[in-house]
Amino acid sequence: MSTEFSTFPDPSSEPDNDAPIQEPRLWVGNGWTARVIKNEEDEGWAVAMIKDGEPEPALVGPWTMGRDKKNPKPLDVNAFNTLVKTASEVLRRHEQQLHAQLHKSLYVATDEGQIKVMFDIVPDEDHPYAELSAYDADGEQIAKVRTSAAFKFNATAAANWIEGGYRKPN
């Protein structure tokens, strides 16, 4: 769905007050802005949910037509609260997915017992890297090395790292 966002006001130019706005096509409150916008691809309408301080919408979805079948249904408190809940969940899932991509761990069985191996990517824009670390059964850190963010972290690589004396992987 292609939707034009140029109609969003510049937040820095708006008056700084915390009073909620409750208009038929614009609701602001609870840290969110809901804006009903024309869907440029068809005759319908869409709603964009923008978290305060963010430049882009967290959620854009179709919006219901009003009774006249030309104009959008006006926003109301129930719709706004549902949109806030849905957009918040979208952001939460995105954060969980990003965390899962950046932080991985697994256990390797050794003669000395279970070793927890963690792989944490540091997403620096210029020089991303990762930290590979090992912990014993008591949670004490055994080793920690810096490696490439492109390191292929899996059970075999973790076991090889341990067997190799925790040296920095190639």
Side-chain angles (χ1 to χ4, degrees):
M1 175 187 310
S2 173
T3 309
E4 184 63 43
F5 295 113
S6 62
T7 59
F8 294 142
D10 178 5
S12 62
S13 66
E14 293 180 3
D16 188 13
N17 66 28
D18 293 332
I21 298 171
Q22 298 178 344
E23 298 173 2
R25 294 187 191 179
L26 174 69
W27 275 56
V28 179
N30 299 336
W32 288 91
T33 297
R35 181 177 299 277
V36 177
I37 51 180
K38 183 79 174 126
N39 182 353
E40 299 301 326
E41 288 186 359
D42 64 22
E43 300 299 313
W45 293 86
V47 62
M49 290 297 295
I50 304 169
K51 187 161 179 63
D52 286 358
E54 294 296 322
E56 294 290 324
L59 175 72
V60 177
W63 189 245
T64 309
M65 291 285 228
R67 292 178 187 235
D68 67 1
K69 303 296 181 201
K70 282 174 41 179
N71 294 304
K73 177 181 165 189
L75 287 163
D76 61 35
V77 67
N78 292 330
F80 181 73
N81 288 338
T82 299
L83 288 165
V84 167
K85 183 178 178 183
T86 303
S88 296
E89 184 59 31
V90 166
L91 288 182
R92 192 169 18 264
R93 281 195 307 264
H94 177 74
E95 289 167 359
Q96 289 170 342
Q97 179 184 14
L98 181 61
H99 185 270
Q101 289 174 340
L102 298 177
H103 307 284
K104 299 176 182 179
S105 66
L106 52 79
Y107 289 88
V108 176
T110 69
D111 292 339
E112 291 80 37
Q114 289 273 62
I115 304 290
K116 180 179 183 180
V117 180
M118 297 180 65
F119 181 69
D120 298 297
I121 296 175
V122 179
D124 183 279
E125 274 191 42
D126 297 324
H127 304 288
Y129 64 93
E131 291 179 340
L132 196 57
S133 54
Y135 299 85
D136 66 17
D138 295 327
E140 295 292 321
Q141 188 176 68
I142 301 169
K144 184 175 186 177
V145 296
R146 188 170 170 159
T147 189
S148 166
F151 177 76
K152 300 293 183 207
F153 181 71
N154 56 38
T156 302
N160 289 341
W161 180 57
I162 293 169
E163 290 171 13
Y166 303 102
R167 286 188 300 277
K168 181 177 177 176
N170 296 333

